[in-house]
């Protein structure tokens, strides 16, 4: 096990950066966050960031002279390389379930909740900076589908895979926290009490108190 601190390349408002941060907090890993590496600014899509990530995305984990990309891979590495509470079960089948959910969250569920829906409210592209209602309406069917999927999964336990917080929950938490804080999204949650209780459970964890904070977009 290693004790060396890590650096999370990216901005703290990013839901995926927050997922990596949650894993660090849960395991007690020392870390820093920011868009700079060795004094060089690594903005998303920039030529500089392309030296670390072939698609210019964040987060990137820097650990000593190594760097790692893609949130599920980063979280699995942190869990394996550092001491602290396990974020993955030992049982192969349950671990595969965690991997399955991390993949669905990072791909399909993030796309439905964050890319297609939430970002329209955060960075609206309508006339005079208005939210484009037609974009919001187009995103609603898939939002409904993925939230129902999550709500049904939570019938099996307090967390996405069983009764223990894990990597899948670290990836789900930031996007669901943002969604729950958006007044326009209240209608999606009112008929999903398991999902509402899950978000509340996540928010009450000590790690969330340090990570799920009001974002600063800059």
């Amino acid at each position: 096990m290693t004790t060396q601190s890590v650096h999370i390349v990216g901005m703290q408002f990013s839901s995926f950066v927050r997922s990596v941060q949650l894993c660090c907090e849960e395991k007690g890993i020392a870390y820093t966050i920011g868009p700079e590496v060795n004094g060089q600014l690594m903005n998303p899509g920039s030529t500089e960031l392309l030296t670390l990530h072939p698609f210019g995305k964040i987060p990137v984990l820097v650990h000593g002279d190594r760097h790692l990309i893609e949130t599920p891979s980063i979280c699995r590495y942190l869990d394996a390389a550092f001491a602290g509470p396990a974020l993955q079960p030992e049982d192969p089948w349950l671990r595969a379930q965690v991997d399955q959910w991390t993949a669905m969250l990072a791909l399909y569920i993030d796309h439905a909740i964050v890319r297609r829906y939430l970002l329209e409210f955060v960075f609206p592209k309508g006339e005079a900076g208005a939210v484009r209602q037609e974009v919001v309406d187009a995103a609603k069917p898939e939002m409904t589908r993925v939230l129902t999927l999550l709500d049904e999964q939570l019938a099996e336990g307090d967390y996405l895979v069983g009764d223990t917080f894990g990597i899948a929950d670290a990836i789900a938490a930031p996007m669901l926290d943002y969604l729950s804080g958006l007044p326009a999204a209240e209608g999606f949650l009112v008929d999903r009490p398991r999902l509402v209780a899950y978000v509340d459970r996540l928010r009450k964890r000590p790690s969330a108190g340090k990570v799920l904070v009001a974002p600063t977009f800059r």
Side-chain angles (χ1 to χ4, degrees):
M1 293 291 178
T2 183
T3 57
Q4 186 179 21
S5 66
V6 301
H7 180 64
I8 306 167
V9 181
M11 288 69 72
Q12 207 270 341
F13 65 76
S14 161
S15 57
F16 284 140
V17 167
R18 290 184 171 207
S19 295
V20 175
Q21 191 184 2
L22 279 171
C23 288
C24 289
E25 289 286 350
E26 289 283 339
K27 293 190 71 72
I29 300 169
Y31 66 92
T32 54
I33 298 176
E36 292 189 0
V37 177
N38 297 324
Q40 193 170 38
L41 196 60
M42 301 281 177
N43 286 323
S46 67
T47 301
E48 292 78 14
L49 186 55
L50 286 169
T51 65
L52 298 180
H53 193 306
F55 297 98
K57 303 291 186 179
I58 59 169
V60 175
L61 185 79
V62 177
H63 187 196
D65 60 356
R66 299 174 173 178
H67 67 270
L68 189 65
I69 65 172
E70 297 304 299
T71 302
S73 298
I74 292 170
C75 293
R76 284 192 287 268
Y77 172 72
L78 292 172
D79 190 39
F82 289 84
L87 300 179
Q88 302 172 93
E90 290 293 331
D91 178 79
W93 176 251
L94 291 178
R95 183 169 289 221
Q97 297 300 303
V98 172
D99 287 347
Q100 172 181 269
W101 275 99
T102 59
M104 288 194 293
L105 285 157
L107 293 169
Y108 315 114
I109 297 175
D110 169 77
H111 182 74
I113 295 177
V114 179
R115 312 302 145 185
R116 294 194 61 200
Y117 186 80
L118 283 176
L119 286 182
E120 182 59 31
F121 292 92
V122 179
F123 302 112
K125 295 182 174 63
E127 187 176 348
V131 171
R132 296 171 296 177
Q133 190 58 45
E134 68 276 14
V135 172
V136 172
D137 290 341
K140 286 180 177 179
E142 189 62 11
M143 272 274 291
T144 300
R145 192 169 85 87
V146 299
L147 292 176
T148 298
L149 183 69
L150 289 166
D151 191 63
E152 290 173 349
Q153 178 65 15
L154 290 165
E156 304 296 323
D158 284 347
Y159 293 95
L160 285 175
V161 181
D163 292 314
T164 304
F165 180 94
I167 291 173
D169 306 294
I171 296 177
M175 65 178 81
L176 293 176
D177 175 63
Y178 276 140
L179 184 69
S180 297
L182 184 68
E186 288 179 1
F188 288 110
L189 301 171
V190 66
D191 294 325
R192 297 179 174 86
R194 285 189 297 256
L195 191 56
V196 172
Y198 173 62
V199 174
D200 184 59
R201 197 175 302 124
L202 292 171
R203 285 174 168 168
K204 287 179 178 176
R205 297 187 70 82
S207 60
K210 299 179 180 180
V211 178
L212 305 182
V213 296
T216 300
F217 298 102
R218 53 188 176 88

